[in-house]
Amino acid sequence: MSRALNKPSLKKNVRLTERDKTVLRLCHEFRLVSNQQLFRLTKSRSVRKFNDRLRDLWSVDLIDRPLAQRGVFAYGDQRPTLNALGQRGVDWLRKSDGAWFPDGFGIGHANNSLKSATFMEHQLGVVDCYTEFRETLDANEDLRLIDKPELLETAPVQTSQLRYPWRVPTQFRHPSGEFHRRGTKPDYTFAIGQTLESRERRGLMFLEFDNGTEDFVRSDPRQSMILGLYLRYADLFQRKLHTQMYGFKNFRVLIVANQDQHRLQKMLAVFAMHAAHFVPANVFLHTTMGEIKEFGSLAPIWRDGLGNKVTLLK
């Protein structure tokens, strides 16, 4: 890892390729993306050449590598190299894509402020999930992953004009009786298109990656917890916010745990006790990252709120 985190000398001539632009957009979307994940998502062929290209992009500040990862992954079994957006990458996205960043935004300071191992590991898990879905759907001629740009194109006009179109204004009442407003921003939002004869059926998906760090129930509704996740999506369902914001009649919440079945069983118990009377059980589908990697995301590895095993596209 030492070489991977030693910034190379400045390259004077770095002309952006289409693959480079994809790298910048992925770093912007996911905040942190590993070399291996970028390699897979760009469908590159040579690991060595690709890693050398990433170092070139880093040398001219198109991407960055937060130094905090050196300590976070120093003693791990796997030591990924994490890439973030660099300042020149911010400038390019503003000009090319019209991406919004706060005035005076300094990405270098933001990257240097990253210290949380939990956040870094969580982001890696989110991108791992996205990568598995992307590769599985790309390999199936009748299915496709509908990503955020296309979702915005087909969403109601008011959503496409929002600064934060992926944050849903949800609210819920805690079992204590306290009412709480808290927006819901899924770890990732996408849709799956399925070709059926001469038409395409589209299904909206909200991905939530669980790294095993959240409590299941907490007494303070302002604190993050699994119960809050269920109740906020139940509110989204009841008030049809998915239809208002994205134009879909239905949706699924895909909860992927980075642990074993024991944690999933506890999640299902929370759902049964506190949320089952608010929302149908098939709105929530649960599985583990291990099952996705072993069997694929389209296999019957998903458990609905009642614990029944189903497929993603039942």
Side-chain angles (χ1 to χ4, degrees):
M1 177 176 281
S2 58
R3 178 179 182 272
L5 295 182
N6 290 331
K7 191 169 183 177
S9 301
L10 177 68
K11 296 285 184 180
K12 293 185 178 179
N13 296 313
V14 175
R15 180 172 297 178
L16 287 178
T17 65
E18 290 304 312
R19 185 178 68 175
D20 296 337
K21 296 173 184 177
T22 298
V23 167
L24 297 182
R25 291 178 176 124
L26 287 168
C27 288
H28 180 216
E29 178 59 50
F30 292 107
R31 189 68 177 91
L32 295 171
V33 194
S34 73
N35 281 19
Q36 182 184 25
Q37 291 168 337
L38 288 171
F39 179 79
R40 291 173 62 183
L41 289 170
T42 56
K43 300 180 180 179
S44 300
R45 296 183 178 182
S46 168
V47 173
R48 181 184 62 81
K49 290 181 179 180
F50 181 71
N51 287 345
D52 286 345
R53 183 60 177 179
L54 291 180
R55 287 175 61 81
D56 289 345
L57 298 180
W58 184 23
S59 77
V60 294
D61 294 325
L62 285 162
I63 64 173
D64 193 11
R65 291 185 175 171
L67 290 179
Q69 65 184 288
R70 189 190 300 271
V72 169
F73 299 111
Y75 303 103
D77 295 332
Q78 296 181 342
R79 291 182 283 181
T81 299
L82 302 188
N83 303 276
L85 198 59
Q87 190 59 53
R88 288 187 61 190
V90 168
D91 298 338
W92 182 83
L93 284 165
R94 275 177 169 150
K95 182 177 180 180
S96 176
D97 293 8
W100 180 85
F101 296 91
D103 292 339
F105 179 69
I107 191 69
H109 176 74
N111 291 338
N112 290 334
S113 298
L114 288 174
K115 306 294 182 183
S116 170
T118 299
F119 174 75
M120 293 184 185
E121 291 166 351
H122 178 267
Q123 291 308 105
L124 280 176
V126 172
V127 184
D128 270 345
C129 290
Y130 174 82
T131 304
E132 294 290 337
F133 280 113
R134 166 64 70 185
E135 291 181 343
T136 298
L137 295 173
D138 284 351
N140 191 310
E141 62 180 14
D142 295 325
L143 301 172
R144 69 187 184 100
L145 189 147
I146 302 173
D147 227 325
K148 287 183 175 180
E150 184 176 347
L151 286 180
L152 282 184
E153 288 179 1
T154 58
V157 174
Q158 61 268 25
T159 299
S160 63
Q161 296 174 343
L162 292 174
R163 178 168 292 173
Y164 303 108
W166 310 112
R167 186 182 300 277
V168 184
T170 50
Q171 59 194 28
F172 66 93
R173 189 172 297 281
H174 189 268
S176 65
E178 186 174 348
F179 183 77
H180 186 60
R181 287 187 172 88
R182 177 176 173 178
T184 296
K185 184 179 183 298
D187 287 329
Y188 202 74
T189 301
F190 66 101
I192 295 177
Q194 182 177 20
T195 301
L196 299 172
E197 297 178 350
S198 59
R199 64 184 181 88
E200 181 180 67
R201 183 175 69 180
R202 303 195 315 159
L204 183 63
M205 308 288 167
F206 296 125
L207 172 65
E208 294 286 354
F209 181 76
D210 173 72
N211 209 27
T213 57
E214 285 191 336
D215 290 339
F216 294 98
V217 178
R218 305 193 74 166
S219 58
D220 187 345
R222 295 169 297 180
Q223 295 176 322
S224 184
M225 55 183 160
I226 299 301
L227 170 60
L229 181 149
Y230 285 130
L231 294 180
R232 284 184 281 116
Y233 279 110
D235 174 64
L236 192 156
F237 173 84
Q238 291 178 335
R239 293 196 289 139
K240 300 185 183 302
L241 298 178
H242 54 290
T243 305
Q244 294 177 30
M245 292 191 66
Y246 307 116
F248 284 77
K249 293 182 179 180
N250 297 292
F251 68 91
R252 295 291 181 268
V253 181
L254 309 181
I255 301 176
V256 180
N258 198 30
Q259 296 191 357
D260 57 21
Q261 297 294 327
H262 182 64
R263 184 164 174 84
L264 288 188
Q265 291 303 319
K266 288 187 174 181
M267 288 184 182
L268 295 178
V270 172
F271 175 82
M273 181 174 294
H274 297 290
H277 51 294
F278 292 129
V279 62
N282 64 356
V283 166
F284 295 96
L285 300 181
H286 312 70
T287 192
T288 66
M289 196 67 216
E291 287 182 298
I292 288 179
K293 290 185 175 181
E294 183 175 359
F295 302 108
S297 57
L298 299 181
I301 59 172
W302 300 90
R303 291 158 184 76
D304 65 17
L306 298 177
N308 300 314
K309 272 196 169 183
V310 297
T311 61
L312 188 60
L313 301 174
K314 61 179 181 178

